[in-house]
Amino acid sequence: MYFNMSQIFNASEELAIAAKFPHVRTFMAGLRPSKTELTDLTKVELPWAVPTEESVAPFSAVCWLFGRYMYKYLNYPIGLVESCWAGTTVEVWSSSRALKHCGLEEPEDGPKGNSLLWNAMIHPLLNMTIKGAIWYQGKTTCSGSR
């Protein structure tokens, strides 16, 4: 979701109308890995905010535009949480339990980084009331085979 609002083709127009959606709030987790599951985020890049041109510009375009659409459709307040790190594979965003269930356990010679972002940037969000999630992997692919 690293493709942010300032990068879309009509960014000026979209950012100019961001403030017209005060019931679509944005929040962005900071970039921090962890070897263990955390209960709280160790860094917040953007605290909960009412949208402005400045707060929405660095926010995920996919997340903002989807959230804005959902607000128009549901006419209900929407909280958008962006937790992303460009150039990462799905394994770092998956819990060790999910990876184990899929037969992808850590190698015996040490961790390769699996679950590092799940632990720090997803697990702390599990105490929130979440009604839905979207995932945008972008164009990064896993190199090598398993």
Side-chain angles (χ1 to χ4, degrees):
M1 297 227 184
Y2 204 68
F3 178 62
N4 62 46
M5 284 296 293
S6 64
Q7 296 173 312
I8 65 173
F9 77 95
N10 62 339
S12 310
E13 297 167 36
E14 290 293 339
L15 293 172
I17 64 170
K20 293 182 179 182
F21 296 91
H23 297 293
V24 181
R25 306 292 171 97
T26 54
F27 177 91
M28 191 185 310
L31 304 177
R32 290 278 160 88
S34 176
K35 291 182 180 181
T36 59
E37 288 183 345
L38 303 177
T39 55
D40 290 313
L41 293 169
T42 57
K43 183 179 179 188
V44 172
E45 194 68 35
L46 173 70
W48 285 109
V50 174
T52 64
E53 281 190 50
E54 295 77 26
S55 68
V56 173
F59 202 75
S60 163
V62 174
C63 191
W64 172 257
L65 294 171
F66 180 77
R68 194 181 71 187
Y69 167 81
M70 290 303 296
Y71 174 74
K72 286 179 177 178
Y73 180 76
L74 298 171
N75 196 30
Y76 192 81
I78 303 284
L80 302 174
V81 177
E82 178 180 336
S83 187
C84 65
W85 196 317
T88 56
T89 60
V90 70
E91 288 86 356
V92 297
W93 295 101
S94 304
S95 71
S96 58
R97 292 169 300 286
L99 292 172
K100 189 173 185 177
H101 182 75
C102 294
L104 299 172
E105 295 186 45
E106 293 284 356
E108 289 183 26
D109 60 344
K112 283 186 152 183
N114 291 350
S115 303
L116 288 178
L117 301 182
W118 162 270
N119 293 340
M121 296 173 65
I122 299 296
H123 190 265
L125 305 175
L126 297 182
N127 289 328
M128 292 182 168
T129 301
I130 299 173
K131 297 290 185 178
I134 58 173
W135 180 275
Y136 171 70
Q137 183 65 27
K139 295 176 178 56
T140 298
T141 57
C142 195
S143 60
S145 59
R146 295 196 181 243

